């Protein structure tokens, strides 16, 4: 099993000292990397900026990136070699249209920033997914959770989508626990209890393992 995982936030530069980012810690993606490695997988962990140290398992190769474009380049270069893809990164949806060469100086009372859409890493890879490859996405939703998550599953060609509901206390960003629901292309829905991210990682990895095409005996 060869697993490609994206994790953490992306930082989209505005000028040499500023960026647009988000509060993703990367914990979920790193926990998934460790859990897949413990199951004997070779893991490529493509990580945005986090405070976490590189996992020490010799089966995990960590590649550090900053922007969505860099994360996409790293992922597309290795995607064909992996049979499982896990998109755990909180990729910035937009990036500044222009990156200022010099620090932007304080001037008027308002500042308008023009943003342009970032590449959708999961959706782009979804277009080149082979039938034996298995793709897992995440969806963080605050309303119409299951419908939105299923829309993402279809648009991005996921086999499995992990829905994180922010309505559940103790779930999501900045918490060490998550409450997930797994949704699948065939309509199966599995609801899990609030658990630590390490336990959630085990639930997700177990689900992926049972759904992978079995190697011929
Ligand atoms: N994703 C990605 N590249 C992007 C945006 C999202 O690979 N540019 C992946 C995420 O890693 C996640 C899934 O797509 O696995 C869903 O991300 P999410 O932010 O929930 O979905 P979006 O399509 O960006 O929709 P929105 O933020 O509007 O809900
Ligand atoms: Ca998004």
């Amino acid at each position: 099993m060869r697993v490609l995982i994206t994790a953490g936030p992306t930082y989209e530069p505005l000028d040499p000292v500023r960026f647009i980012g988000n509060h993703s810690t990367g914990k979920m993606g790193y926990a998934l990397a460790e859990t897949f490695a413990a199951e004997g997988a070779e893991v490529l962990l493509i990580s945005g900026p986090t405070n976490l140290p590189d996992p020490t398992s010799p089966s995990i190769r960590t590649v550090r990136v900053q922007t969505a474009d860099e994360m996409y380049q790293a992922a597309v270069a290795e995607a064909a070699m992996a049979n499982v893809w896990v998109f755990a990164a909180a990729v910035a949806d937009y990036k500044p249209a222009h990156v200022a060469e010099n620090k932007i100086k304080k001037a008027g009372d308002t500042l308008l920033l023009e943003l342009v859409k970032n590449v959708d890493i999961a959706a782009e890879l979804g277009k080149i997914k082979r039938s034996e490859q298995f793709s897992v996405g995440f969806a963080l939703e605050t309303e119409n959770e299951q419908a939105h998550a299923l829309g993402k599953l279809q648009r991005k060609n996921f086999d499995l989508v992990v829905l994180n509901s922010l309505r559940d206390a103790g779930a999501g960003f900045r918490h060490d626990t998550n409450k997930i629901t797994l949704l699948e292309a065939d309509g199966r829905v599995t609801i899990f209890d609030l658990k630590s991210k390490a336990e959630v990682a085990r639930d997700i990895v177990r689900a992926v393992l049972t759904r992978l095409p079995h190697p011929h005996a």
Side-chain angles (χ1 to χ4, degrees):
M1 184 171 35
R2 299 178 65 90
V3 184
L4 180 156
I5 301 176
T6 67
T10 65
Y11 283 5
E12 310 296 333
L14 268 169
D15 71 12
V17 296
R18 302 185 180 96
F19 61 86
I20 294 178
N22 62 67
H23 288 305
S24 168
T25 61
K27 279 180 191 163
M28 192 68 243
Y30 282 56
L32 284 162
E34 308 268 10
T35 310
F36 274 113
E39 291 292 336
E42 288 294 317
V43 179
L44 173 67
L45 176 63
I46 304 173
S47 175
T50 69
N51 290 323
L52 303 172
D54 287 4
T56 52
S57 162
S59 312
I60 304 175
R61 181 158 62 95
T62 306
V63 173
R64 297 275 177 176
V65 298
Q66 295 276 323
T67 65
D69 289 323
E70 290 169 8
M71 190 174 273
Y72 173 67
Q73 290 307 328
V76 82
E78 306 268 354
M81 259 102 79
N83 58 322
V84 177
W85 300 337
V86 181
F87 300 99
V91 183
D93 288 339
Y94 294 88
K95 65 180 174 184
H98 312 283
V99 183
E101 201 177 316
N102 293 302
K103 186 183 165 200
I104 299 168
K105 296 301 286 178
K106 179 168 56 182
D109 287 339
T110 60
L111 173 67
L112 277 177
L113 290 175
E114 189 186 358
L115 305 178
V116 293
K117 205 179 251 170
N118 258 329
V119 58
D120 190 318
I121 300 164
E124 287 304 314
L125 292 189
K127 293 178 192 165
I128 56 163
K129 193 179 73 171
R130 303 189 306 266
S131 58
E132 73 276 15
Q133 291 179 306
F134 193 89
S135 176
V136 180
F138 281 74
L140 183 70
E141 307 291 347
T142 59
E143 33 100 36
N144 291 332
E145 286 99 334
Q146 292 202 7
H148 281 145
L150 275 180
K152 285 172 188 171
L153 179 136
Q154 282 152 11
R155 279 200 302 282
K156 305 185 195 228
N157 199 14
F158 293 141
D159 297 283
L160 181 72
V161 65
V162 182
L163 167 63
N164 266 307
S165 179
L166 274 191
R167 278 205 290 222
D168 297 299
F173 284 1
R174 292 198 151 169
H175 288 277
D176 286 329
T177 51
N178 259 349
K179 180 156 169 49
I180 62 159
T181 301
L182 300 186
L183 300 150
E184 298 177 60
D186 62 6
R188 260 188 292 178
V189 176
T190 317
I191 299 172
F192 291 86
D193 294 332
L194 186 70
K195 297 181 182 192
S196 73
K197 286 188 180 172
E199 289 172 298
V200 170
R202 278 196 288 276
D203 288 338
I204 295 169
V205 169
R206 205 172 295 136
V208 171
L209 291 177
T210 59
R211 285 153 182 80
L212 282 183
H214 289 290
H216 295 289

